[in-house]
Amino acid sequence: MKVTIDQDKCVASGQCVVAAADVFDQRDEDGIVVLLNPDPPAEQAADVRHAAVVCPALAIHIED
């Protein structure tokens, strides 16, 4: 799994961090998403997919 994010689309809702805190974080100054792990292990795949689904800005992209 390869994860990418579009910080320009991010609206800083934080849903990705709630869904997959080991993969996503937010910048302190504005809350924009930060990708901590672009290649998460298989055991985190379900959480990462959930984060992509709940992102209101559709700023998370996943390639298998």
Side-chain angles (χ1 to χ4, degrees), residues 13-19 47-58 60:
S13 73
Q15 295 303 305
C16 56
V17 178
V18 172
D47 290 343
V48 173
R49 289 184 200 289
H50 179 72
V53 169
V54 299
C55 176
L58 303 176
I60 301 168

Side-chain angles (χ1 to χ4, degrees), residues 7-8 10-14 25-34:
Q7 288 184 327
D8 293 332
C10 181
V11 295
S13 73
D25 199 358
Q26 291 177 280
R27 294 190 305 218
D28 290 335
E29 62 271 15
D30 57 8
I32 298 298
V33 64
V34 175

Side-chain angles (χ1 to χ4, degrees), residues 1-3 7-8 25 32 36-39 42 46 56-57 59 62:
M1 167 182 281
K2 174 78 172 152
V3 180
Q7 288 184 327
D8 293 332
D25 199 358
I32 298 298
L36 300 175
N37 186 355
D39 292 306
I62 299 170

